[in-house]
Amino acid sequence: MHSNRANDITPWEVKKRSRIHMANAQDGCGASIPYEMIIEVLQWLPVKSVFRFRAVCRSWAVLLSSDEFRCLHMTAAKDARRQAPPPQLLYISPTTTFDSTTVYSCSFSPSSSSNRPRDRGDLLFTIEGARGNCVEVVTPVPCRGLTLLYDAIGAAFYICNTATRAATRLPASTEERAARSAAGLGFDAQTDEYKVVRLISRLCHQEDMVRCEIYTPGGRSGDRWRPPAGGVPLSLHQFVYAAVKNAELNKLPPVFANGCLHWLMRPASFTTTPSVAVVSFSVTEETFTCLRSPPFWVPGAPPIRYGLSKEQLVEMDDQLCLVRDTRNTILYANVLEIWKLPDYSSGDWLLSHRINLSSHLARDLRESQILRVIGCFGINSSSPRKKIVITTSKHKIFDKYQKMVHTYDPRSEALETILSITETHSTPYYGPPSSRFSFIQDTLAPVHKTDEEIALSSDLAKVTGEILLRLPAKAVIHSKFVCKQWFRLIESENFIQSYFQHKNMDKRPKVMLLVKGTGQLAFSFSPLNKCLQEAPSNSTLLDTKVVCSKPCHGLNLVSTKTRDYLCNPCTGFHRGYSLGPSLLQSKAEEHAFTVGNKNVGLTFDPLTHQHVMVAIFYRQKDFKSRQYDLTCTLRWCNSRDRPQRSSVPPLPVNDMPPAYVEGMLYWMSEPRLGRSCEWTIVSFNLATRIFDVVPCPSWFARWNSRNCCRAFVVELEGVLCAVLADPVAEKLDVWKLERGQWGRAVTIHLEAYPDYSLKTSVVVPLAVDRDYGSILLNTGRKIGLYDPVEQAIENLYSLDQVPVVRIDMSSTSSAAEMNRMDSKMIPCVPMLYEESLACYTRVPKKQLLW
């Protein structure tokens, strides 16, 4: 049973209750002004002015913060919207780092200076933690002032009030993430509560293949998701399943109108076209019903099963409407039809508007891949000021889409473009890009904080957080088990990010050594300072060769011949991965920075907030014939899926580890393989999954068989650097790439230090000390600081001090032979690290027993 929204609290009741608030304040502010006049004026003020007037005096602060005044203000704002169009449009956009979402406002008129569509709006606020590139607007029309957003990567919902700049993240659902779902925001007029209603369909056909759960912000049921009072009737399971499938695949969220949330079904989900088209959920009664199909649906006829859905639901003039797009259909009409449902009891749909898309002005609408009507503004259906708001999306290249917002005047048939922007959309599933547009309603609608937000924002939590920031990482991990509140604090994304920034703000290189492990793992971590203070011991010697990457967002990659490990040296976290066996059985080149016939790099996906391993395996490598064959796989570190095949690099890569710089991985090519004998840098962009090439500095000579130089890439101070090692001159030429141009960074002279000779070892610049300008050098057995001014090296640690095995070497043995033999028994390996709490838990948080 459907009913119209119940009336709000009457203004007389509000005024009566507000008098109590005014009487309770004894400061006497505004006593000379009649009370009724104060209320009459304040209720019509915009939200921004209301916030300012809270600072006038204590009694006004009490009054303007009360629930009673909020109801009165929302009633006045609703009346005001009937007399004038909403002043602004809302749209969201990702930040450059994709770890937050920015909310913008835009006027409903073109740019006054050029009379052309705007290409940007005004920044309102930022929602931290919402991964902007995959955030969608669920409610194109706000529900009594509140807008619902969804982060597809984090599987998290956000409620925000753009007028008050308040936003909150809802608690995680109890349902598994593998299921399809579609959620909407509604309002219960009887209890004066907002409700987020989420329909869930399982991917496999089980007895309970559809479920429903409800979250009430600040409700009596607590800070959790719960099932509805009436449940989902078994007779409606197939309709609910079809509605959820249509909503997720076609990005069609439910529409709130007349106190109910409505999901549109698609005939293609059935064998024949059904007689019902909409699944309706009463937010007040928490019961399900179905609404009749529109007249252009033919019940019993075979449905069209290809392409995206051509119908959508929308709320216009407080009525449920259905939009029909006839472009690219068998009708070839190029018409946009809007049908309305004025009477739920009869279920008859009536044609309200027909928008002709054949005109020259409607070319942007006609040529768009996705067209959505998000609502209208004006007094009523007969008002000449009424305009229908239409959004379009057109794919440009890769993940770029041109998004446009238009207004259509039904009386004059005038179409006006008010906003045109290019956005990036990368979603975990294939399908149309999500909507990012909505209206702005100037109301004081409350945004209730969750229990976790309240606990983390308390003074005690802030003091506790400041103390924990100063503790070592292992001590912080152990502190999680003190109590529930500490566990929530330490597990929160904000604290993990704050801890990382606090511990690494000096950006000075931190060194740790990999030594022999005491458990099943072949290695463990030991701070360099501890190793310097203690005498070397045979018990700490590694019995397997390992190669370490530089830190990437708090984690390191440690590779052995058979497995690769993602590690946090500060906390001891590690997780092993098998990226596949090496298909090449020939012996790999032996030096401290290679292991097996593979080359593995660690990068970071800002969309999923996951580390990703990029592994290159050689199937064939013949330096005589210059023939080679290789494969490339990707492995998301927090996924149970198998490694994914990727495109192969355009050039063969050498055996030196890659460099990670700002989301890109870089390798140096192998000039001894393939057609080209020139050194070239191979790059990989994880966002596009495309390999490319970067020319080396012109100083790099063309390789030939008589050339003993070695070239590789490193990252220094966040910049890509190319290194040319000349063993004849005993020097390293380091070039850096800034603003697309190569420039010489430094030349490292090693002729006076035989322990760092390029004839017997590979010397890699690891990092630069920003305070003193010293360069940290690593040979795999020695760590030293090179002073570019004095051209001197200060040894920090020498692994040759460890008595490994006594070897009787004849005087005729060369230094190269000694180095090859010593490389087989590397006692420990130096590595750079960042202090962080980063890890990937094997058990989902929802299964933790707290």
Side-chain angles (χ1 to χ4, degrees):
M1 177 174 135
H2 297 270
S3 60
N4 294 331
R5 300 180 197 171
N7 295 328
D8 296 326
I9 300 175
T10 64
W12 309 110
E13 293 178 354
V14 173
K15 292 178 181 179
K16 180 179 178 181
R17 297 179 186 180
S18 299
R19 286 193 182 97
I20 300 176
H21 287 288
M22 295 290 287
N24 290 336
Q26 301 297 327
D27 55 5
C29 180
S32 60
I33 304 177
Y35 171 77
E36 288 74 12
M37 185 178 297
I38 295 177
I39 293 295
E40 186 64 30
V41 173
L42 295 182
Q43 67 176 332
W44 298 99
L45 292 178
V47 170
K48 188 175 182 179
S49 299
V50 171
F51 274 72
R52 288 180 176 178
F53 278 109
R54 286 180 179 176
V56 170
C57 60
R58 188 175 302 172
S59 62
W60 282 32
V62 173
L63 170 66
L64 300 182
S65 303
S66 64
D67 292 338
E68 290 78 11
F69 179 79
R70 172 182 58 82
C71 294
L72 182 61
H73 186 273
M74 293 178 67
T75 302
K78 184 177 179 180
D79 294 338
R81 289 198 303 271
R82 295 184 181 276
Q83 301 173 13
Q88 291 177 322
L89 176 80
L90 172 147
Y91 76 91
I92 60 175
S93 180
T95 57
T96 55
T97 56
F98 298 112
D99 58 355
S100 58
T101 296
T102 50
V103 181
Y104 294 89
S105 64
C106 177
S107 173
F108 271 94
S109 61
S111 176
S112 58
S113 58
S114 60
N115 201 30
R116 300 180 60 183
R118 300 175 184 267
D119 58 359
R120 65 177 60 89
D122 299 323
L123 176 64
L124 293 179
F125 59 98
T126 300
I127 303 177
E128 299 293 339
R131 294 155 194 178
N133 204 26
C134 293
V135 175
E136 58 189 84
V137 175
V138 181
T139 52
V141 177
C143 177
R144 291 175 58 89
L146 297 187
T147 302
L148 181 66
L149 308 177
Y150 179 64
D151 179 1
I153 296 298
F157 291 96
Y158 292 81
I159 291 180
C160 67
N161 183 334
T162 53
T164 62
R165 313 295 198 265
T168 186
R169 175 172 175 166
L170 305 188
S173 169
T174 57
E175 183 61 34
E176 63 271 14
R177 294 177 59 177
R180 288 195 178 103
S181 64
L185 177 63
F187 181 76
D188 186 345
Q190 288 188 3
T191 61
D192 196 26
E193 293 177 334
Y194 293 87
K195 295 180 181 179
V196 180
V197 182
R198 182 169 180 244
L199 294 184
I200 303 164
S201 65
R202 301 180 185 271
L203 298 181
C204 56
H205 291 274
Q206 302 176 354
E207 184 177 351
D208 57 341
M209 66 177 183
V210 294
R211 292 183 59 241
C212 177
E213 57 183 11
I214 300 175
Y215 178 79
T216 305
R220 296 182 296 270
S221 58
D223 197 30
R224 62 181 180 86
W225 293 82
R226 61 173 178 83
V232 182
L234 185 61
S235 60
L236 299 182
H237 273 205
Q238 60 174 336
F239 300 120
V240 174
Y241 184 88
V244 174
K245 181 179 179 181
N246 184 44
E248 184 172 271
L249 296 182
N250 294 287
K251 302 296 182 183
L252 295 174
V255 172
F256 180 70
N258 298 312
C260 298
L261 281 167
H262 305 84
W263 286 262
L264 178 66
M265 292 180 279
R266 190 182 181 192
S269 300
F270 302 89
T271 306
T272 59
T273 303
S275 58
V276 294
V278 178
V279 173
S280 178
F281 178 80
S282 173
V283 176
T284 300
E285 299 175 1
E286 298 187 1
T287 56
F288 287 89
T289 57
C290 287
L291 304 180
R292 283 175 52 183
S293 59
F296 53 84
W297 282 27
V298 182
I304 299 175
R305 301 186 182 277
Y306 59 86
L308 298 175
S309 177
K310 295 297 182 181
E311 291 102 24
Q312 65 155 124
L313 296 177
V314 66
E315 183 264 326
M316 295 174 57
D317 300 326
D318 294 331
Q319 290 182 335
L320 179 66
C321 298
L322 189 147
V323 180
R324 183 192 188 195
D325 184 4
T326 63
R327 298 175 305 145
N328 303 320
T329 63
I330 58 176
L331 299 178
Y332 296 104
N334 275 335
V335 172
L336 200 66
E337 298 178 347
I338 301 178
W339 298 71
K340 65 180 180 180
L341 184 65
D343 186 7
Y344 276 83
S345 58
S346 65
D348 294 333
W349 294 87
L350 303 178
L351 183 60
S352 177
H353 301 285
R354 285 176 60 90
I355 303 176
N356 184 10
L357 303 180
S358 301
S359 64
H360 175 71
L361 295 176
R363 183 183 61 181
D364 291 331
L365 274 66
R366 187 171 60 253
E367 296 179 353
S368 64
Q369 279 96 6
I370 301 174
L371 187 151
R372 296 284 186 262
V373 176
I374 66 172
C376 68
F377 57 84
I379 300 178
N380 50 52
S381 58
S382 61
S383 171
R385 298 179 59 184
K386 176 181 178 179
K387 289 188 177 182
I388 300 173
V389 183
I390 305 172
T391 65
T392 58
S393 178
K394 185 176 181 180
H395 181 250
K396 303 297 289 184
I397 184 173
F398 298 126
D399 55 355
K400 303 294 184 182
Y401 288 83
Q402 184 182 20
K403 311 292 285 291
M404 305 180 74
V405 180
H406 318 266
T407 58
Y408 175 78
D409 191 330
R411 289 213 166 188
S412 64
E413 298 184 354
L415 185 70
E416 191 175 32
T417 303
I418 64 172
L419 181 67
S420 178
I421 57 177
T422 300
E423 289 284 348
T424 301
H425 283 266
S426 297
T427 58
Y429 311 104
Y430 293 101
S434 56
S435 172
R436 291 182 174 174
F437 300 100
S438 180
F439 291 97
I440 293 180
Q441 291 182 359
D442 196 56
T443 70
L444 291 171
V447 176
H448 296 280
K449 291 185 177 181
T450 62
D451 292 348
E452 182 175 352
E453 284 182 307
I454 295 174
L456 296 181
S457 61
S458 65
D459 293 338
L460 178 60
K462 293 178 181 179
V463 172
T464 303
E466 288 296 325
I467 296 175
L468 293 174
L469 287 178
R470 289 154 176 80
L471 295 181
K474 281 191 176 181
V476 175
I477 295 299
H478 293 158
S479 300
K480 291 198 299 185
F481 304 101
V482 172
C483 60
K484 293 181 181 180
Q485 289 74 17
W486 284 34
F487 180 86
R488 291 176 179 175
L489 174 63
I490 297 172
E491 284 282 295
S492 64
E493 293 185 7
N494 289 336
F495 179 79
I496 294 175
Q497 184 177 4
S498 299
Y499 187 88
F500 179 82
Q501 295 175 349
H502 182 269
K503 289 294 185 179
N504 300 281
M505 63 176 60
D506 56 356
K507 296 186 178 180
R508 298 191 64 181
K510 302 178 180 67
V511 183
M512 194 172 286
L513 295 181
L514 258 74
V515 297
K516 185 176 181 179
T518 56
Q520 296 180 353
L521 198 62
F523 56 86
S524 61
F525 307 101
S526 179
L528 177 61
N529 295 336
K530 180 180 179 181
C531 295
L532 293 176
Q533 296 172 1
E534 298 179 357
S537 171
N538 285 326
S539 62
T540 63
L541 304 182
L542 286 169
D543 51 12
T544 183
K545 187 177 181 181
V546 297
V547 174
C548 305
S549 75
K550 294 183 69 173
C552 174
H553 289 261
L555 296 180
N556 293 72
L557 177 66
V558 178
S559 298
T560 65
K561 188 174 182 179
T562 57
R563 287 180 68 82
D564 298 271
Y565 298 87
L566 191 67
C567 305
N568 186 333
C570 298
T571 63
F573 160 80
H574 64 274
R575 181 183 289 188
Y577 301 87
S578 179
L579 301 180
S582 177
L583 302 177
L584 184 63
Q585 300 302 323
S586 62
K587 187 177 180 181
E589 295 186 72
E590 286 290 344
H591 58 76
F593 303 97
T594 183
V595 55
N597 285 293
K598 63 181 180 179
N599 196 316
V600 186
L602 183 64
T603 182
F604 186 77
D605 187 350
L607 300 179
T608 62
H609 278 213
Q610 287 190 50
H611 291 76
V612 182
M613 297 180 184
V614 182
I616 298 176
F617 295 93
Y618 275 95
R619 292 192 242 185
Q620 180 187 3
K621 184 193 292 186
D622 190 343
F623 293 121
K624 292 183 179 181
S625 64
R626 301 183 64 88
Q627 297 294 319
Y628 75 95
D629 186 19
L630 51 79
T631 62
C632 180
T633 59
L634 308 178
R635 176 62 188 265
W636 270 256
C637 295
N638 199 31
S639 173
R640 297 182 179 179
D641 299 334
R642 294 182 177 180
Q644 301 179 10
R645 285 291 184 95
S646 175
S647 60
V648 296
L651 294 173
V653 299
N654 66 8
D655 55 356
M656 292 294 290
Y660 171 79
V661 181
E662 295 182 351
M664 302 280 290
L665 277 176
Y666 298 91
W667 291 262
M668 183 62 72
S669 67
E670 177 55 84
R672 294 176 294 174
L673 297 173
R675 297 180 179 179
S676 176
C677 293
E678 295 182 353
W679 276 303
T680 307
I681 297 175
V682 178
S683 66
F684 178 72
N685 188 339
L686 181 63
T688 60
R689 302 191 188 183
I690 294 177
F691 282 95
D692 204 349
V693 294
V694 180
C696 279
S698 57
W699 182 262
F700 278 41
R702 181 184 176 93
W703 178 89
N704 57 67
S705 58
R706 297 184 300 274
N707 190 349
C708 298
C709 294
R710 180 189 295 271
F712 52 92
V713 293
V714 295
E715 173 270 324
L716 296 175
E717 298 184 292
V719 178
L720 175 65
C721 295
V723 182
L724 184 63
D726 187 349
V728 177
E730 290 287 3
K731 67 177 182 178
L732 296 174
D733 278 326
V734 183
W735 294 72
K736 61 181 178 179
L737 182 63
E738 290 184 314
R739 300 181 180 89
Q741 300 292 328
W742 286 103
R744 188 187 296 270
V746 66
T747 299
I748 301 175
H749 299 273
L750 303 172
E751 57 269 16
Y753 299 91
D755 290 341
Y756 293 85
S757 173
L758 298 177
K759 296 184 179 68
T760 59
S761 59
V762 177
V763 181
V764 176
L766 277 183
V768 177
D769 191 320
R770 296 195 175 189
D771 293 338
Y772 304 101
S774 302
I775 302 173
L776 186 65
L777 300 180
N778 178 24
T779 68
R781 299 185 63 82
K782 292 180 175 63
I783 309 172
L785 280 175
Y786 177 80
D787 188 339
V789 178
E790 301 293 335
Q791 297 185 6
I793 296 179
E794 176 190 357
N795 279 325
L796 293 182
Y797 190 75
S798 176
L799 306 182
D800 295 328
Q801 299 172 359
V802 182
V804 185
V805 179
R806 292 185 177 272
I807 303 176
D808 185 14
M809 301 294 296
S810 64
S811 59
T812 58
S813 298
S814 65
E817 290 176 344
M818 292 181 62
N819 184 74
R820 282 196 298 270
M821 296 188 67
D822 288 348
S823 65
K824 299 178 183 178
M825 45 193 180
I826 293 186
C828 48
V829 176
M831 66 181 298
L832 291 182
Y833 72 96
E834 296 170 333
E835 290 191 75
S836 76
L837 301 175
C839 69
Y840 292 108
T841 176
R842 295 182 182 273
V843 182
K845 295 180 181 179
K846 63 184 180 183
Q847 297 181 13
L848 292 176
L849 301 179
W850 284 95

